[in-house]
Amino acid sequence: MLLCMLLAAINYSLNLGFLLTFVIVGMALSSMLHTWRNLAWLQVNASAPAPVFAGQHIQLQLELSDKRQRARYAVGAALALETAVYTDIAAGHSATLTLSLASKQRGWMQVEPIALSTSFPAGLYRVWTSFPSPLRCLIYPAPAEPGLPLPEGAIPGGSEGETLRRGDDDFSGLRPYQAGDSPRRIDWKASSREQGLYSRDFHAAAHEQCWLDLAQTPGKNLEHRLSQLTRWVMDAHEQSLSYGLQLPGITLESAHGEVHYHACLRALALLGQR
């Protein structure tokens, strides 16, 4: 188009034609420079994503920082084929973008290469760069559907007849009925007053525990059994029970709390993997 405009200006000796052609060429060259400068020397920092369950989306926090006292506009970031997320960065400041990536299976998942791009200011050019990410995310097994109650089994190494039971010593009040609650715990009197279905809740004695053993877990294959164990770990954690985990070659002693919860999920995620 510019070549045709130039030939027409030469053929008809149109000074305004020359002016318009050269102005457009100058704008195009200037836009190329500014598009490149909008992305040049931009610093990128990414923090390791938090573990997620298989099937959930990984949330990657990406920090873009300007150290050249130059405002940046419409800078986009994306993972692989995901849709780019855009932000503006003030001169000398930083901006944080959250990138989402779907997880597929348990274990370690390498974060895909990160791509940065921009078309500012005129949209005539697209400057982009891609670099591999050194980050990886731990994927926990997908939990099974709730419903199967926690097992009540013998304490490994305990005396004969010693069993693990969920608390039923001291009555502590009523709570809304949950799928899997024993019919013996349902408060039928409260339910008969049309107040809903309630279960009696009890405090467990300090020595009572719950032991989760892969060998005793139902399931069609290893992945199904790991999913059920993941659900039981979540249920025991939500109920503030003390629980242990027995896997081939791995034994996590009975405990409770956030550290023990994530240690159990990590062991389930990495079982059989290097």
Side-chain angles (χ1 to χ4, degrees):
M1 183 187 68
L2 291 176
L3 181 60
C4 291
M5 291 175 60
L6 180 61
L7 292 176
I10 294 173
N11 185 54
Y12 294 103
S13 299
L14 297 176
N15 292 332
L16 290 179
F18 285 114
L19 178 62
L20 179 61
T21 302
F22 295 146
V23 166
I24 294 177
V25 171
M27 292 176 60
L29 295 177
S30 177
S31 175
M32 180 188 299
L33 174 63
H34 283 283
T35 304
W36 171 79
R37 282 165 56 92
N38 196 49
L39 205 61
W41 299 295
L42 193 64
Q43 294 190 5
V44 182
N45 293 302
S47 55
V52 298
F53 293 97
Q56 294 182 338
H57 279 72
I58 300 170
Q59 301 298 318
L60 178 65
Q61 299 293 325
L62 198 66
E63 183 183 50
L64 307 179
S65 304
D66 170 69
K67 302 298 183 181
R68 296 295 184 101
Q69 300 300 316
R70 181 188 305 153
R72 317 296 182 108
Y73 300 97
V75 177
L79 290 170
L81 300 178
E82 300 291 332
T83 303
V85 181
Y86 290 87
T87 187
D88 296 333
I89 308 169
H93 289 76
S94 302
T96 302
L97 291 175
T98 301
L99 305 182
S100 181
L101 180 64
S103 62
K104 299 178 181 179
Q105 59 186 12
R106 67 180 179 89
W108 288 110
M109 178 177 175
Q110 186 69 36
V111 176
E112 298 181 359
I114 301 173
L116 299 179
S117 63
T118 183
S119 297
F120 179 85
L124 297 177
Y125 305 96
R126 178 178 178 269
V127 176
W128 63 273
T129 182
S130 179
F131 50 92
S133 170
L135 303 176
R136 60 179 184 171
C137 181
L138 182 60
I139 311 299
Y140 296 149
E145 293 295 327
L148 195 62
L150 285 165
E152 298 180 358
I155 302 175
S159 59
E160 183 178 356
E162 185 178 6
T163 59
L164 301 175
R165 301 176 57 196
R166 284 171 292 171
D168 56 2
D169 288 349
D170 302 322
F171 177 72
S172 62
L174 298 177
R175 60 174 173 80
Y177 172 80
Q178 297 178 354
D181 285 349
S182 172
R184 293 177 298 177
R185 294 195 174 193
I186 298 177
D187 191 326
W188 298 106
K189 291 183 179 180
S191 303
S192 65
R193 294 194 291 268
E194 299 182 355
Q195 297 178 354
L197 204 57
Y198 292 90
S199 295
R200 290 187 293 271
D201 204 6
F202 298 88
H203 283 307
H207 66 275
E208 291 182 343
Q209 309 165 46
C210 177
W211 192 262
L212 308 177
D213 190 345
L214 178 64
Q216 304 299 325
T217 302
K220 297 184 295 184
N221 52 44
L222 175 62
E223 297 303 323
H224 282 87
R225 294 198 297 271
L226 290 177
S227 293
Q228 185 57 58
L229 279 177
T230 301
R231 168 56 59 185
W232 281 342
V233 168
M234 295 172 62
D235 291 344
H237 178 68
E238 291 175 358
Q239 298 175 33
S240 300
L241 297 178
S242 181
Y243 57 96
L245 181 64
Q246 178 69 50
L247 301 174
I250 302 174
T251 300
L252 296 178
E253 297 299 332
S254 181
H256 59 87
E258 287 292 332
V259 175
H260 182 65
Y261 171 68
H262 288 287
C264 291
L265 292 178
R266 180 187 180 93
L268 293 172
L270 299 180
L271 181 66
Q273 300 188 7
R274 296 181 179 179

